[in-house]
Amino acid sequence: MSAISSSRPKVPVWLRVLQLLGLLLVIAISVVTYAAYSISRKMPEAYEAWTTGNVMVDYLGTHTNQWPHGWADLIAMVNSPREHNRLVYTPIERLPALVKIDWHADVVALTRAALSSTNVTIRPITRPDGAKLRAIWGPDTEPNEKIYRYLRTNTASPQKTVLVK
């Protein structure tokens, strides 16, 4: 039997380890770059969702649980000199092009739904195409969830409305 000789030179172990570390570094940088890019694309919509939820809850709290009639009501409230309970992360004037609100939503029906289940599927606030807004900061920043949480904690029954100061 003849010995089979390899035409490839032997690579030292330390060089293989160095190559492996280099490959892992490239993979790690790629993952971090992709994650940063993905979050940066979703972040504006997340702030739009958060702001819309904050403004809607503020409006409900200062208007005896009455649903606004249009963007003009929300813009007037945000631009009023009184102090707001909630933060506005996106200029309110930009939201009409970015967020769709069902201006004919029935607060009594929403309250009943909120009190009967923690998994309400009615979505009066969506993206312009009707899809759910992306709230990457967590479910407590999703506008519909904010409204349902407000209705659960600030309304004793669907027939009674409460003014929250």
Side-chain angles (χ1 to χ4, degrees):
M1 291 194 150
S2 66
I4 301 175
S5 64
S6 173
S7 61
R8 292 185 351 184
K10 287 233 176 215
V11 178
V13 172
W14 66 269
L15 187 56
R16 290 276 185 204
V17 170
L18 189 61
Q19 288 173 335
L20 180 62
L21 288 175
L23 178 63
L24 290 175
L25 181 64
V26 168
I27 291 171
I29 289 172
S30 298
V31 167
V32 168
T33 301
Y34 175 76
Y37 172 75
S38 179
I39 288 173
S40 71
R41 286 186 41 100
K42 295 175 185 173
M43 196 177 304
E45 185 173 323
Y47 280 124
E48 294 155 10
W50 200 346
T51 297
T52 303
N54 286 346
V55 170
M56 287 296 293
V57 167
D58 204 17
Y59 188 90
L60 290 170
T62 58
H63 292 80
T64 322
N65 288 349
Q66 298 300 308
W67 198 258
H69 298 290
W71 283 107
D73 291 347
L74 298 177
I75 291 169
M77 184 200 64
V78 169
N79 291 333
S80 72
R82 77 163 193 80
E83 190 166 322
H84 300 286
N85 297 329
R86 315 261 183 236
L87 299 173
V88 175
Y89 298 103
T90 300
I92 188 79
E93 293 79 12
R94 287 186 47 210
L95 291 179
L98 306 168
V99 177
K100 178 181 166 188
I101 298 176
D102 177 2
W103 300 114
H104 302 290
D106 181 0
V107 176
V108 173
L110 295 177
T111 303
R112 280 192 187 120
L115 292 173
S116 67
S117 172
T118 57
N119 190 20
V120 182
T121 58
I122 303 168
R123 301 259 174 237
I125 301 174
T126 63
R127 296 168 72 189
D129 64 2
K132 183 177 178 181
L133 284 162
R134 291 185 210 130
I136 62 173
W137 307 122
D140 58 329
T141 62
E142 201 278 327
N144 297 296
E145 290 302 319
K146 287 178 93 62
I147 290 167
Y148 291 128
R149 191 171 47 257
Y150 166 82
L151 293 172
R152 277 185 209 105
T153 59
N154 293 290
T155 307
S157 75
Q159 302 304 324
K160 180 181 174 188
T161 57
V162 177
L163 175 63
V164 177
K165 295 182 181 184

